[in-house]
Amino acid sequence: MIAALLFWLFAAVLVGSAVMVVTARNPMHGVLFLILAFFNAAALFVLAGAEFLAMVLVIVYVGAVAVLFLFVVMMLDIGAARRKGGWQAYLPAGLAVGAVLFAEVLFSLAGWKLMPAAVAVPQPAGLSNTAALAGVLYTRYLLLFQASGLVLLVAMIGAIVLTLREHTRSRHQSIPRQLARDHRETVVLLDVPLREAPVVPGEAKKQAAPAPGGAE
Amino acid sequence: MIAWVLAFFATPLGYLILTVLKALAILVPLLMGVAYLTYFERKVLGAIQLRKGPNVVGPWGLFQPFADAIKMIMKETVIPSGGNRALFLFAPMLTFFLAMIAWAVIPVNDGWAISDINVGLLYLFAISSLGVYGIVIAGWASNSKYALLGAMRSAAQMVSYEVSMGFVLVSVLLCAGSLNLSDIVRAQQHLWFCIPLLPMFVVFFISALAETNRAPFDIPEGESEIVAGFFVEYSSMAFGLFFLGEYANMFLMSALTSILFLGGWLGPFGLWPVLGPLWLILKICILLFVFLWVRATFPRYRYDQLMRLGWKVFLPLSLLWLVLTSGALLAFGWLPHA
């Protein structure tokens, strides 16, 4: 009874916040509603008895992915989107995509049933669902599991290759070099004669040429 | 009478009341602890810097936390113009809320946890990874460049250190064979994990410093460059909630370190098991002292040094140690039965 009520509560908030993600004017609010949607999905997992999946959903999506979303949205500095005309131009394409997705959901719902092999597996009492999941994932589906890891690795390397540039202008500090410095190369003892301007090595050049950063 | 009370607690309403009472039994001492941690911090810093610390309000300055609390409540809550009012007020509440709900799974003694769930460790990891939202939302909603800079630094920092922290947690749970915090403590009956996993213990504690934004990793606040970072615009109780949240997080991280590496409620060499919770409190206090000691000793890290430490030192180290741990467990047949 309470579980059913909670299910409807979480499901309603989930759908509501999912709608708000696409309709919110302020992109920042959109991301925050997305996070709320993730949370409610995690709560639904808990109600279904899949506490491991719930926690992983929160850790991966809320704790890492959505933080990056938020970061990017904050950086882009998009104000609240103004209502723009011309949405009719996108209407046919949007409707077509929606119709295809809806048809897919209908077909999969109609043809959906538990795999006989999965139903036949007896559920041992007292086995936590983390252990049960690991037992299947690391034995029967080990190859698929590793393959999905490889796919992620490829994606990661791709992202790094695409974004990494030669940082010729960045002031990179080499930590070993920094640690290897000692007083002999940093401190200069000058014998300064009285009533005469001292000549510091490097100082004359610095004054002659303007600083590389410009004169602002 | 006792039978009647027990029967009442078995009803749904009674169960609810019992849970609330349990939560209060954790939260009230925790908040008192937070109040006195601020006093303790000022006294320790004072002693290290050859000063006296607070010594005016009450005997030995013992009422100082209350004076601070009253001052904070009496002040005006200023909301910056151009800021986002709702999110501005939501951020400190979120920070405080997260620091409190994490305590639901902390076992204070054998079987003394409000909720002894099977995925306790993952729950704590999830909650601590949410801490970044309080800071990012605060920084954005303040409509101030210093706050935004602080928020950005903090987001990058907390996400980076979570990665190596996750690997440390994996090596601990490999040794314990469970994600349940009580089971992890029971697995340390004979040997605390800080001995076989000593490098991970150090990495975890340093990452905990970074996760709680404490010195030497307090660059999200960085008062010498960005004033007070993400909470520069906050005043009154909104600031107070951030403050309480930060100190409660220090408590939480100390408790987590004690449970994962220092045997939680177990005494050293199985000494006086009756003392259970007191052992845990003692360990938490020692770790908190180290937090303060570190703050008084080390200068703040520069931002690029912080990132280098997280990604180029801790991540490879914890990954290597994870492989070593699992290899050793497998080779010597020490794997705990799942």
Side-chain angles (χ1 to χ4, degrees):
Chain A
M1 163 64 180
I2 293 174
L5 275 181
L6 284 178
F7 170 81
W8 287 111
L9 175 71
F10 290 135
V13 177
L14 172 59
V15 173
S17 52
V19 169
M20 287 305 289
V21 172
V22 278
T23 53
R25 290 288 184 78
N26 190 329
M28 191 79 178
H29 292 171
V31 177
L32 292 176
F33 275 116
L34 184 65
I35 293 162
L36 186 61
F38 284 146
F39 259 110
N40 283 283
L44 289 181
F45 272 132
V46 170
L47 283 183
E51 70 263 11
F52 179 77
L53 284 182
M55 292 304 151
V56 169
L57 181 75
V58 172
I59 291 172
V60 174
Y61 282 95
V62 183
V65 175
V67 172
L68 295 181
F69 280 3
L70 207 61
F71 204 80
V72 171
V73 169
M74 254 167 52
M75 288 287 80
L76 288 181
D77 189 29
I78 326 168
R82 270 160 282 123
R83 186 184 289 273
K84 279 179 287 192
W87 57 273
Q88 291 91 342
Y90 304 108
L91 192 62
L95 277 182
V97 171
V100 169
L101 283 178
F102 189 64
E104 278 175 1
V105 168
L106 277 188
F107 279 127
S108 56
L109 270 184
W112 187 74
K113 59 176 183 292
L114 283 174
M115 203 169 87
V119 179
V121 175
Q123 276 290 325
L127 187 64
S128 76
N129 84 49
T130 315
L133 207 61
V136 182
L137 208 57
Y138 285 99
T139 53
R140 196 164 163 187
Y141 298 110
L142 180 66
L143 212 60
L144 285 175
F145 183 66
Q146 297 284 346
S148 62
L150 267 183
V151 171
L152 286 180
L153 182 68
V154 170
M156 191 174 87
I157 294 175
I160 292 174
V161 167
L162 284 177
T163 52
L164 190 70
R165 298 201 183 91
E166 279 299 314
H167 289 286
T168 46
R169 286 199 305 158
S170 80
R171 298 188 183 163
H172 181 72
Q173 180 187 29
S174 159
I175 299 285
R177 255 190 68 199
Q178 181 70 26
L179 292 179
R181 270 160 69 98
D182 65 359
H183 64 94
R184 269 163 303 192
E185 35 179 318
T186 46
V187 180
V188 184
L189 273 183
L190 295 177
D191 194 10
V192 185
L194 281 177
R195 295 176 191 284
E196 245 178 80
V199 180
V200 183
E203 194 77 338
K205 199 170 63 187
K206 214 183 280 176
Q207 275 171 4
E216 67 267 357
Chain B
M1 178 61 189
I2 291 171
W4 185 83
V5 169
L6 286 180
F8 174 68
F9 281 149
T11 62
L13 180 69
Y15 184 72
L16 195 67
I17 292 174
L18 187 65
T19 312
V20 170
L21 286 179
K22 280 185 196 167
L24 286 179
I26 288 247
L27 293 185
V28 172
L30 174 67
L31 288 176
M32 284 307 288
V34 165
Y36 274 93
L37 179 57
T38 62
Y39 171 78
F40 184 52
E41 169 162 42
R42 293 161 70 177
K43 275 288 187 195
V44 168
L45 288 183
I48 291 177
Q49 296 162 358
L50 300 179
R51 293 183 287 112
K52 276 191 173 171
N55 63 347
V56 175
V57 191
W60 305 288
L62 271 175
F63 298 151
Q64 186 69 46
F66 298 103
D68 289 342
I70 290 169
K71 179 197 78 174
M72 210 163 262
I73 294 169
M74 302 302 272
K75 284 194 169 181
E76 182 195 353
T77 306
V78 182
I79 295 173
S81 65
N84 189 316
R85 189 188 166 88
L87 286 179
F88 184 80
L89 293 177
F90 173 67
M93 288 181 211
L94 180 71
T95 304
F96 184 71
F97 174 72
L98 289 175
M100 295 294 120
I101 60 169
W103 285 86
V105 294
I106 298 281
V108 185
N109 198 354
D110 205 349
W112 289 19
I114 296 176
S115 170
D116 198 15
I117 56 175
N118 280 326
V119 286
L121 193 59
L122 284 181
Y123 172 80
L124 276 184
F125 192 54
I127 296 298
S128 81
S129 69
L130 295 181
V132 64
Y133 283 109
I135 294 175
V136 170
I137 294 174
W140 183 78
S142 298
N143 192 27
S144 149
K145 56 186 148 219
Y146 295 124
L148 189 66
L149 280 174
M152 272 162 20
R153 288 178 172 197
S154 154
Q157 169 180 339
M158 290 174 94
V159 170
S160 309
Y161 277 82
E162 238 158 53
V163 180
S164 54
M165 216 164 174
F167 280 119
V168 174
L169 293 183
V170 172
S171 31
V172 169
L173 71 91
L174 273 179
C175 292
S178 174
L179 285 166
N180 183 312
L181 291 171
S182 305
D183 285 347
I184 290 176
V185 175
R186 281 184 211 113
Q188 302 178 59
Q189 203 91 52
H190 304 296
L191 181 66
W192 291 0
F193 285 154
C194 65
I195 297 166
L197 299 175
L198 183 65
M200 291 298 95
F201 174 50
V202 176
V203 168
F204 187 82
F205 190 73
I206 298 177
S207 303
L209 287 177
E211 280 284 299
T212 48
N213 293 328
R214 289 291 298 180
F217 304 114
D218 56 347
I219 55 164
E221 297 173 33
E223 60 278 279
S224 55
E225 345 153 24
I226 50 172
V227 201
F230 61 90
F231 54 64
V232 65
E233 302 291 344
Y234 281 89
S235 60
S236 175
M237 229 24 228
F239 169 77
L241 285 181
F242 268 125
F243 200 71
L244 289 176
E246 180 182 331
Y247 281 79
N249 270 329
M250 281 166 67
F251 264 97
L252 179 70
M253 281 298 166
S254 304
L256 190 57
T257 315
S258 319
I259 284 166
L260 295 181
F261 293 100
L262 298 176
W265 65 77
L266 303 168
F269 312 110
L271 233 56
W272 299 315
V274 206
L275 288 182
L278 290 184
W279 281 124
L280 182 66
I281 292 171
L282 180 70
K283 289 166 188 170
I284 291 177
C285 288
I286 292 173
L287 287 172
L288 284 174
F289 174 73
V290 179
F291 264 91
L292 307 180
W293 187 13
V294 164
R295 174 170 174 191
T297 311
F298 293 108
R300 184 178 298 135
Y301 261 58
R302 214 174 52 208
Y303 189 74
D304 58 321
Q305 294 171 332
L306 179 93
M307 285 294 141
R308 175 180 166 272
L309 185 69
W311 289 104
K312 292 190 178 170
V313 179
F314 282 177
L315 186 60
L317 184 64
S318 53
L319 202 53
L320 174 75
W321 201 265
L322 175 61
V323 174
L324 278 182
T325 309
S326 41
L329 288 175
L330 199 63
F332 299 114
W334 291 336
L335 273 177
H337 57 90

